[in-house]
Amino acid sequence: MTPNKRLICITAASILLMALTACGFKSDPTPASTSDNFRWASIKTSVQPPCINVTGDINGNVTNVDEVLIELQKAGEEADCPTCPFKSDEEFVFTPGELGLISNSGRFDTSICPTEISSLYRMKVTAKSKYFGMPDAVSKEYFVEMP
């Protein structure tokens, strides 16, 4: 092999190697620091028929919250089974401005009034990140009993 052909082969191999390492899925983006994250500090519920009062407190960078989603599942076989998958029957979506999250340092108090009437609900609250691939804050599931 002549020196020119050898140089061309090495150059082509190098370009191919660089192209292969630049392509493909690396991983989901992660926050630059833990101060960019947010998580639920507490969620409390109370009942004022026919509505449910939800009070929440988010710790962390509340400015990264895009929306808060409250999901309800009516009572039934699946709702009475804590290990069964959660399937929402109704969803209530709020912006941080509607809840006053930023002005109240991550605290909010709101009421939701289900249209699907039941004596028992399963509820889950999710604070969604405004950035793709950044983690959302998902609460544990709560049981709300209506009188």
Side-chain angles (χ1 to χ4, degrees):
M1 189 181 283
T2 66
N4 284 343
K5 285 185 181 180
R6 188 176 302 154
L7 181 62
I8 291 172
C9 286
I10 291 173
T11 304
S14 298
I15 291 172
L16 181 62
L17 183 61
M18 287 189 318
L20 287 175
T21 58
C23 295
F25 178 77
K26 303 286 189 270
S27 66
D28 285 334
T30 57
S33 72
T34 56
S35 63
D36 290 335
N37 286 332
F38 50 87
R39 67 187 176 289
W40 290 112
S42 67
I43 294 176
K44 295 180 180 154
T45 61
S46 61
V47 176
Q48 188 173 4
C51 299
I52 301 169
N53 298 323
V54 181
T55 304
D57 189 10
I58 298 177
N59 284 342
N61 194 343
V62 181
T63 59
N64 286 344
V65 176
D66 185 42
E67 66 183 20
V68 174
L69 171 67
I70 301 174
E71 299 174 281
L72 285 180
Q73 179 183 358
K74 287 188 334 181
E77 287 182 26
E78 291 177 4
D80 295 335
C81 169
T83 58
C84 294
F86 185 91
K87 296 178 193 166
S88 69
D89 294 315
E90 290 188 77
E91 296 180 347
F92 302 87
V93 179
F94 301 94
T95 65
E98 290 174 316
L99 295 176
L101 281 178
I102 303 210
S103 59
N104 292 328
S105 302
R107 291 182 191 90
F108 75 88
D109 188 10
T110 191
S111 291
I112 56 172
C113 300
T115 58
E116 305 267 339
I117 304 302
S118 181
S119 60
L120 180 68
Y121 295 97
R122 269 170 93 178
M123 183 186 81
K124 184 168 62 170
V125 184
T126 304
K128 297 193 173 256
S129 175
K130 64 170 70 170
Y131 299 108
F132 173 76
M134 301 293 273
D136 297 333
V138 181
S139 75
K140 66 177 189 171
E141 293 175 14
Y142 296 89
F143 283 90
V144 179
E145 190 171 347
M146 300 298 275

